[in-house]
């Protein structure tokens, strides 16, 4: 599973610098595939290809958020999700809608950082 941030978030910002994939952003801030990765172009599920540096719409305007496509649960970097480890209100939780195996998470990490 990827990790998601719930609306319990108090916007303290502690999680953001801990993410090895730069998958965490402040509410209202645009994100990109290229931030913190080696990605140049990304093919989306609908087949469209986007420039990885292109700014994307925030997932949330109110709370810190995690870009699901960039979250690897810290696999390959750390033993446990670092955002969940530092969050003072325990609002970084498993996303029940996004289930990925260890192999898939390692492949995702390699895709983002080894290209
Ligand atoms: S679990 Fe790890 S990779 Fe995913 S958002 Fe949290 S710090 Fe980033
Ligand atoms: S550490 Fe927790 S409370 Fe703080 S910004 Fe991140 S998700 Fe929100």
């Amino acid at each position: 599973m990827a990790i998601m941030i719930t609306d319990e978030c108090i916007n303290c910002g502690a999680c953001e610098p801990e993410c090895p994939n730069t998958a965490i952003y402040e509410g209202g801030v645009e994100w990109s595939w290229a931030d913190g990765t080696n990605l140049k172009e990304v093919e989306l599920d609908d087949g469209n290809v986007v420039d990885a540096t292109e700014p994307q719409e925030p997932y949330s305007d109110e709370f810190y958020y995690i870009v699901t496509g960039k979250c690897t649960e810290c696999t390959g970097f750390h033993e446990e999700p670092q955002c969940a480890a530092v969050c003072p209100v325990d609002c970084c939780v498993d996303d029940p809608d996004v289930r990925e195996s260890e192999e898939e998470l390692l492949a995702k990490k390699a895709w983002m950082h080894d290209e």
Side-chain angles (χ1 to χ4, degrees):
M1 283 179 263
I3 303 295
M4 59 177 282
I5 292 174
T6 74
D7 60 9
E8 307 275 295
C9 173
I10 58 170
N11 291 319
C12 72
C15 54
E16 186 183 354
E18 302 300 325
C19 182
N21 301 321
T22 312
I24 304 175
Y25 292 82
E26 187 176 355
V29 172
E30 292 177 326
W31 64 277
S32 84
W33 291 101
D35 290 339
T37 74
N38 292 327
L39 295 171
K40 305 283 185 281
E41 285 187 334
V42 175
E43 185 174 349
L44 305 178
D45 288 342
D46 61 10
N48 284 333
V49 175
V50 296
D51 181 330
T53 61
E54 198 175 300
Q56 307 288 333
E57 289 292 308
Y59 281 27
S60 171
D61 286 327
E62 285 181 80
F63 306 107
Y64 275 73
Y65 64 91
I66 291 171
V67 178
T68 306
K70 297 177 76 180
C71 175
T72 58
E73 299 174 39
C74 291
T75 301
F77 289 106
H78 304 288
E79 288 296 312
E80 59 178 356
Q82 296 299 286
C83 51
V86 301
C87 180
V89 294
D90 293 333
C91 68
C92 299
V93 300
D94 289 339
D95 184 341
D97 293 332
V98 186
R99 296 175 185 276
E100 295 156 297
S101 68
E102 177 93 8
E103 269 181 14
E104 286 172 322
L105 291 169
L106 278 173
K108 196 171 173 182
K109 183 220 173 207
W111 170 68
M112 285 193 285
H113 296 283
D114 295 349
E115 280 188 8

